[in-house]
Each structure stands twice: as structure tokens, then as C-alpha cells.
Amino acid sequence: MATLRTSVVLRGVLTGSRGTERVCFRSRGRPRPDALPQQLPGPCGTGIPCRRLVSEAESGSSEIKKPTFMDEEVQSILIKMTGLNLQKIFKPAVQELKPPTYKLMTQAQLEEATRQAIEAAKVRLKMPPVLEERAPINDVLAEDKVLEGTETAKYVFTDISHSIPHRERFIVVREPSGTLRKASWEERDRMIQVYFPKEGRRTLTPIIFEEENLQNMYSQDRHVDVLNLCVAQFEPDSAEYIKFHRQTYEDIDKHGKYDLLRSTRHFGGMAWYFVNKKTIDGLLIDQIQRDLVDDAISLVQLYHILHPDGQSAREAKEQAAEGVHLIKVFAKTEAQKGAYIELTLQTYQEAFISHSAAS
């Protein structure tokens, strides 16, 4: 798809069937008086499919409803595993240096300030949604051969009515060949950003998302910065959003840098991704080694919730396994690094016993 220039050369107000304003956006060239066709009905009013929260595994059988990312039980487990490290959540940001502020507080005031900080931290830890990738838009509305060759640039017609949700906004493209079609998702995102700018988002994809630059960011342990920029730049069901999130999670898993996302809003999405892929071994070992056995147990519980028909879930149910025994069952059945997990768990238990005896 040719890249459209973002500067507006033509802005003509057209009247649609409902009296709404429609703006003609063109990349270059002189204006032409083409009018928009009548709006076509669709699932969301304009033929744009509605999106919903789903797990990556939900594309299978529709007979059995599988857990989704936003299910209350799933969210409870993910929030618990994320952690609440206030020092990490409120770490100093890169900004202009200012003199520090000191306050004298009573014990009651300190407790109230701590409570407020915890509430603010929970807001910052709100996880971005996990959506299935949106279906591409390939709808052709008309083939007007009489217009073929009359222009060398594309026209983009955008409904800029403020009362219309962006997902229902009518945007069409007139090709130089005379074809009138619905705009692709990339074109829609770009036009919406032109007319309704979103803070932190650019019209064109930042060069930071080029492969070479991404690898430089990963080598500097700036995975959180990549994910934050990804959330700001892309829609959560776009192919780019999903691609860069998965790529970042894979790099973390490859190098065992799970702690980088702990106590951030991205940890839950990472855990969800590994559980769906059935590749929780690395994260599970990391949790045990960091004395986060409760989180490791929660991870296995989430694994059983998403894969209830797996051997691990069945045996855990038969044995009424709880606590650390859940981890042992998983290690002996579906784990890819079962022996390593058992050894790590054994080392932890021996250290725990020694510490208890010494105290």
C-alpha cells in the first residue's frame, strides 16, 4: 500500500444521507468533486467488525467456553503474580532535575500517604487488554472504470463527525484505477490520528520499531519502554501491537529477564502469553529461584484453568493436589524442563528447611 502524505491538500465538506460532515482527504494533486456513496450497514454500523476480548486459544471449539484474559479469576491470579513494588512502580523518570521535597508526618499521616501510594500504584498496574487480531478489511464498494487513469493519487474520504466512535467511522479510498473501497486498518488508524490526534501516538510508525533498533533496546533491558511505546502507538488488536508484544516476551523468555516486567502493567500479559503457548517453564523456575513460590503455584493454577484437559490438570484433579504439589505434578507431566523444575524446587525446600532450623 502506498504511503499517504499526512498534510491536508483538500478539505471539502460533503453532505451524507444523515446530514453528517464528511471530509475528503487527499495526498496530493488538485481537488475533484467526487461524492461519497451511501453508508453500508455492517456489524458495527459501517461494515467494520466489532472486536472482543478473547484468549489466543479461543479460536477453537465454540462449544466449550474457554477462559479469557479479562475473566475475574484470571485477572485475580495475574494481578497477584504481578507484584506491588512501590519503589519500582514510582521509580524516578527521566526529567528535569528539581530540588527534592521533604515532609514531616505523623505516623497516621504516613500510613495514609502509604495507602494513597498503593492505590495510585494499582492504577498504574492496570493491564492493557489482550485481543485477538482484527480481521483485514478488503471490501470493494464500486469499480468505476470511467475514472481509471484520470488521477495518479488516491483520495481518502473520512467522516469527521465527533459523535461517531472511531471503530464505526466511515472511511473509504478512491484508487487511481477507479476502485472505491473501504480503507484498510492501517489507513483508518492514520486518518483518525490526523483528525483526532491521540497523545503519545505518531501518524507514522516510529523508527524504534525497526528490527535493528528493537534489538538495541532489548540489549539495554528497555523492554518496558518498548511495550509502553507499543501501547501508545498501536491499537490493541492490530497486527503490529500483537507482533511487538510477542517479540518482546520471547526475548525476555530467551534471556530469562522476567523480573524486568515484574511490578509493571505488562507482567500479566506476558504470563498469559506463556500460559497460552504452554511455555511457562522458564518463568516458573525464575519464580521459585526468587522465593516467589506462591506466584509459581498461581502460575500452575492458571495453566490448569486454560488447559483443563491437559495431563497435568487431570492428574492434579485426581490427586487433589494443592500448593507445592501442584508444581511437582506439572513438572512430571507437561513441563519441558521437568527435571530442572524438580531440582530447583528441591533446592528451595532444602534452603527453607535450613533457614527454619537456624531461626
Side-chain angles (χ1 to χ4, degrees):
M1 183 62 61
T3 302
L4 299 179
R5 296 172 59 185
T6 58
S7 58
V8 177
V9 179
L10 172 63
R11 181 176 292 179
V13 180
L14 306 176
T15 303
S17 59
R18 295 181 298 175
T20 58
E21 290 185 339
R22 304 185 186 275
V23 170
C24 173
F25 180 93
R26 191 191 177 198
S27 59
R28 59 185 177 84
R30 65 183 185 279
R32 52 177 305 184
D34 286 347
L36 282 176
Q38 294 291 327
Q39 182 170 334
L40 299 179
C44 291
T46 60
I48 305 301
C50 299
R51 315 309 302 163
R52 58 191 179 89
L53 292 172
V54 296
S55 69
E56 293 179 1
E58 196 175 356
S59 58
S61 174
S62 59
E63 297 178 358
I64 302 176
K65 183 181 181 300
K66 295 187 177 181
T68 66
F69 182 74
M70 293 305 296
D71 283 357
E72 184 176 351
E73 184 179 10
V74 171
Q75 284 289 301
S76 177
I77 294 175
L78 292 176
I79 291 172
K80 178 179 179 295
M81 287 193 296
T82 295
L84 192 68
N85 186 334
L86 296 181
Q87 283 71 29
K88 185 173 183 178
I89 297 172
F90 295 107
K91 68 179 181 180
V94 178
Q95 57 185 353
E96 181 183 355
L97 292 177
K98 296 180 181 180
T101 302
Y102 299 95
K103 295 182 180 181
L104 296 176
M105 295 183 176
T106 63
Q107 184 63 29
Q109 290 174 328
L110 178 60
E111 292 175 356
E112 176 61 21
T114 303
R115 187 193 64 79
Q116 293 178 359
I118 292 175
E119 293 301 319
K122 290 179 180 179
V123 173
R124 291 195 179 192
L125 291 180
K126 184 178 180 181
M127 289 174 272
V130 175
L131 308 177
E132 69 175 1
E133 184 177 342
R134 55 196 181 187
I137 302 175
N138 299 310
D139 296 345
V140 175
L141 304 180
E143 294 279 1
D144 299 317
K145 296 299 182 181
V146 67
L147 300 177
E148 184 176 0
T150 58
E151 293 291 343
T152 59
K154 301 176 185 177
Y155 286 92
V156 179
F157 299 87
T158 303
D159 186 340
I160 62 170
S161 305
H162 288 274
S163 59
I164 300 178
H166 291 329
R167 280 304 173 99
E168 300 179 12
R169 196 169 298 282
F170 196 69
I171 303 177
V172 296
V173 178
R174 174 72 75 177
E175 296 278 0
S177 63
T179 300
L180 183 67
R181 60 173 176 80
K182 291 183 180 180
S184 66
W185 285 115
E186 292 75 15
E187 292 166 335
R188 290 181 61 85
D189 292 342
R190 198 182 312 168
M191 294 303 102
I192 290 172
Q193 179 63 17
V194 168
Y195 294 115
F196 307 93
K198 182 177 179 180
E199 185 178 359
R201 179 173 295 185
R202 300 183 183 180
T203 306
L204 300 179
T205 303
I207 61 174
I208 194 65
F209 290 107
E210 295 179 0
E211 184 61 29
E212 181 180 356
N213 297 329
L214 278 177
Q215 294 305 321
N216 288 334
M217 294 288 284
Y218 295 155
S219 65
Q220 300 173 33
D221 293 344
R222 297 183 61 184
H223 300 70
V224 174
D225 293 332
V226 172
L227 293 176
N228 284 336
L229 185 57
C230 187
V231 170
Q233 180 65 33
F234 304 109
E235 291 298 311
D237 59 351
S238 67
E240 295 82 3
Y241 181 99
I242 296 173
K243 170 189 173 182
F244 293 126
H245 271 74
R246 291 178 177 176
Q247 184 174 341
T248 304
Y249 297 153
E250 292 290 350
D251 186 83
I252 288 175
D253 190 39
K254 179 181 178 180
H255 297 95
K257 298 180 179 179
Y258 309 101
D259 198 53
L260 291 175
L261 297 193
R262 193 166 278 114
S263 289
T264 73
R265 59 177 175 161
H266 306 292
F267 188 88
M270 178 186 68
W272 177 259
Y273 174 72
F274 292 148
V275 170
N276 272 280
K277 277 194 63 183
K278 296 186 177 182
T279 56
I280 66 172
D281 297 53
L283 178 56
L284 189 63
I285 293 170
D286 179 79
Q287 290 173 326
I288 297 173
Q289 290 176 337
R290 294 181 181 276
D291 197 14
L292 299 172
V293 176
D294 287 343
D295 290 350
I297 295 171
S298 296
L299 182 63
V300 176
Q301 289 175 339
L302 181 61
Y303 186 93
H304 290 167
I305 291 174
L306 263 67
H307 308 290
D309 298 327
Q311 184 180 358
S312 178
R314 293 198 308 269
E315 291 199 13
K317 184 177 181 180
E318 292 173 0
Q319 301 175 21
E322 296 180 353
V324 175
H325 190 47
L326 275 175
I327 302 177
K328 294 180 179 179
V329 171
F330 172 76
K332 292 179 180 179
T333 53
E334 296 188 46
Q336 300 174 14
K337 302 177 182 178
Y340 195 6
I341 293 175
E342 290 181 330
L343 179 60
T344 305
L345 188 58
Q346 180 181 347
T347 303
Y348 163 79
Q349 290 177 321
E350 291 175 353
F352 180 79
I353 293 173
S354 300
H355 178 74
S356 300
S359 59

